[in-house]
Amino acid sequence: MWKAVVTAAVAFVLLFCRSSTLDNGLARTPPMGWLAWERFRCNVDCVDDPYNCISEELFMQMADRLAEDGWKELGYNYLNIDDCWMSMDRDEQGNLYANKTRFPNGIKKLADYVHSKGLKLGIYLDFGTHTCGGYPGSIKYLQKDAETIAGWGIDMLKMDGCYANVSDMSWGYPDMEMYMNKTGRPILFSCSWPAYAGGIKVDYSVLAKHCNAWRNYDDIQDSWDSVTHIIDWFGDNQDVLAPVAGPGHWNDPDMLIVGDYSLSYEESKAQMAMWAILAAPLFMSNDLRSISPEARSILMNKEVIRISQDSLGMQGRRVIKDHNGIDVWTRPIEFPDIPSYGVAFLNRRSDGIPYNYTLTPGDLNFKCGSCLGYQLTDVFSGQDYGHCAPFQEFTVSIVPNGVVMVYAVPTSLDVTSKLR
Ligand code: GLA
């Protein structure tokens, strides 16, 4: 008799208790890949614009580029569909399906193709009644949609929050996570919940239990103003945001627009550097079929990617704000005993010459401990600034709307070789 009671109790626990953390093992470092939205939007005109419309052809071509042009090897392995992939209606059983003209072979076939290239496929749903582009929403179909995408072999879900009550999100996003877990397929879960709940008016500890990443704030647009607006918001709210980021759960300032129309070369470097300092997901939204060599070299910079993907998973902070027009951000990386740092000097000045900025490692509150000082190396140019004692001055020269990014490695350790 007691055996039956114990068995029933165990079954009850297994059935009704949820784990308290999102334990899908994914996104131990900020996820990387490509996402359609910023560059390709909701272009569904495959008659007049077949090369750029949201279609299986577009995603297969981007998969080819990710797999064949060296992106995948650097970590850019998620290929993500965004809005406007669906048919306008569900089928008679209530299932979602892709637009049949633009995705004639369906999403499962596309997933098979993407997997055959050694990549992962992400898809987009919306928690509300409709997606932001007006396609069917998931609010009444969470379990069904979780099962559908798992059945297709989807590896990542971006769940948007248009046409929904923010108050419903506190059960809706956790429910979606539960239904995806139940499918048994690990699916990286990106939640747009905070972006709809005012950015900082959410309990991020709850978010971290249910989501691998979350969009916090405004959509990025193709402009330097948009990039700096987002960076400033992350700096202004860093006391809320930085502590909640870590392996498995990341703040997301939105896509990288490097390689698109608006950013200069220097501005592109600045976005890449800042996204690495912020421990942000690195989802490019650009045209990999025609990307310039300059944009490619920025996005493929191994040293910046190394900072982005650092295993400590600590989000960086703005430690100096607008001192003579320069913001300085630091991110602790790798060596936990005597931390080293990624440092970004962001020039907000509009006078047209490079600005020489002088400071000491001590000004940045580096926790040097017993170290002799720091070896400073420019991440983009490779310039060696030499060894700098904790209160010894060094100078960086930063162009307008540009960044200088350095590694600061404690010199009491023989670590420089490990970084190369
Ligand atoms: C919202 C999201 C964007 C994109 C669009 C699609 O605006 O924030 O990232 O997914 O919807 O309609």
Side-chain angles (χ1 to χ4, degrees):
M1 168 67 184
W2 64 270
K3 264 191 184 167
V5 173
V6 171
T7 311
V10 169
F12 178 85
V13 168
L14 289 177
L15 264 179
F16 296 105
C17 292
R18 284 207 207 140
S19 110
S20 64
T21 54
L22 177 54
D23 198 13
N24 61 10
L26 301 173
R28 304 309 296 169
T29 61
M32 299 172 65
W34 186 91
L35 176 57
W37 179 255
E38 203 291 320
R39 175 62 180 78
F40 291 93
R41 303 285 167 155
C42 194
N43 178 358
V44 293
D45 185 1
C46 291
V47 174
D48 290 332
D49 196 7
Y51 190 65
N52 297 301
C53 65
I54 299 300
S55 66
E56 66 184 30
E57 200 57 33
L58 180 74
F59 291 100
M60 287 165 75
Q61 289 176 4
M62 291 306 164
D64 293 347
R65 301 283 50 83
L66 284 176
E68 290 164 28
D69 295 350
W71 300 102
K72 182 177 74 173
E73 287 72 20
L74 292 167
Y76 291 99
N77 60 352
Y78 282 92
L79 175 76
N80 292 320
I81 304 169
D82 207 276
D83 205 350
C84 308
W85 62 270
M86 297 173 197
S87 165
M88 275 297 183
D89 295 308
R90 290 172 181 268
D91 72 12
E92 282 170 4
Q93 285 76 44
N95 296 310
L96 288 174
Y97 61 101
N99 176 284
K100 287 189 170 154
T101 317
R102 294 182 284 114
F103 294 84
N105 296 297
I107 302 295
K108 168 109 182 54
K109 272 277 165 52
L110 179 59
D112 291 346
Y113 183 79
V114 168
H115 293 154
S116 77
K117 299 272 164 181
L119 301 166
K120 296 169 185 296
L121 185 65
I123 207 161
Y124 168 102
L125 298 174
D126 188 288
F127 169 62
T129 57
H130 295 86
T131 75
C132 301
Y135 292 79
S138 295
I139 190 151
K140 292 186 184 154
Y141 301 89
L142 295 178
Q143 182 163 11
K144 190 179 263 300
D145 292 353
E147 288 165 1
T148 299
I149 63 171
W152 287 339
I154 289 293
D155 305 291
M156 170 172 166
L157 172 65
K158 169 177 171 179
M159 180 161 251
D160 212 343
C162 271
Y163 301 107
N165 293 323
V166 171
S167 57
D168 287 334
M169 294 181 181
S170 54
W171 60 261
Y173 280 92
D175 272 10
M176 190 61 179
E177 180 243 325
M178 174 190 67
Y179 291 131
M180 287 197 294
N181 274 349
K182 275 188 171 176
T183 68
R185 184 171 181 84
I187 298 177
L188 195 158
F189 193 21
S190 167
C191 306
S192 298
W193 175 6
Y196 290 87
I200 53 167
K201 295 188 206 130
V202 281
D203 182 347
Y204 277 102
S205 64
V206 175
L207 259 293
K209 285 180 188 159
H210 301 288
C211 310
N212 294 114
W214 44 79
R215 278 282 312 285
N216 306 75
Y217 190 53
D218 288 352
D219 285 9
I220 199 158
Q221 310 293 340
D222 193 1
S223 76
W224 175 241
D225 274 358
S226 172
V227 170
T228 51
H229 177 72
I230 290 171
I231 293 170
D232 288 345
W233 186 85
F234 271 75
D236 293 346
N237 295 294
Q238 62 188 0
D239 290 343
V240 175
L241 302 176
V244 298
H249 44 93
W250 309 100
N251 294 298
D252 181 2
D254 212 0
M255 290 157 271
L256 288 166
I257 56 165
V258 176
D260 292 327
Y261 298 109
S262 77
L263 298 189
S264 69
Y265 178 67
E266 298 297 337
E267 291 166 347
S268 301
K269 276 163 53 181
Q271 194 200 12
M272 184 69 181
M274 289 310 306
W275 262 232
I277 289 281
L278 286 169
L282 300 181
F283 290 123
M284 308 178 280
S285 191
N286 50 19
D287 192 341
L288 295 175
R289 300 166 299 187
S290 56
I291 189 168
S292 70
E294 291 77 20
R296 182 194 304 267
S297 73
I298 292 167
L299 292 162
M300 288 190 162
N301 184 298
K302 285 188 179 154
E303 305 303 316
V304 187
I305 292 174
R306 200 194 303 265
I307 292 172
S308 150
Q309 298 295 298
D310 180 75
S311 57
L312 292 181
M314 292 181 73
Q315 179 172 324
R317 285 174 174 264
R318 186 177 61 197
V319 291
I320 296 175
K321 178 171 157 45
D322 197 23
H323 180 241
N324 291 332
I326 308 296
D327 292 343
V328 187
W329 291 69
T330 63
R331 175 176 171 185
I333 49 176
E334 270 193 290
F335 305 100
D337 297 336
I338 306 177
S340 45
Y341 295 89
V343 187
F345 302 87
L346 185 63
N347 189 348
R348 314 297 296 271
R349 298 169 68 93
S350 50
D351 52 344
I353 60 168
Y355 185 77
N356 287 340
Y357 189 70
T358 299
L359 77 172
T360 70
D363 293 334
L364 299 173
N365 301 322
F366 284 178
K367 294 192 175 36
C368 182
S370 59
C371 82
L372 301 172
Y374 288 89
Q375 181 71 31
L376 304 171
T377 312
D378 190 297
V379 163
F380 286 105
S381 70
Q383 183 184 338
D384 182 358
Y385 291 94
H387 173 265
C388 191
F391 294 97
Q392 187 185 344
E393 289 186 333
F394 67 98
T395 300
V396 290
S397 176
I398 324 154
V399 301
N401 291 3
V403 76
V404 166
M405 187 180 216
V406 300
Y407 270 122
V409 177
T411 41
S412 56
L413 295 171
D414 179 25
V415 291
T416 321
S417 56
K418 289 190 191 167
L419 293 168
R420 292 279 147 197

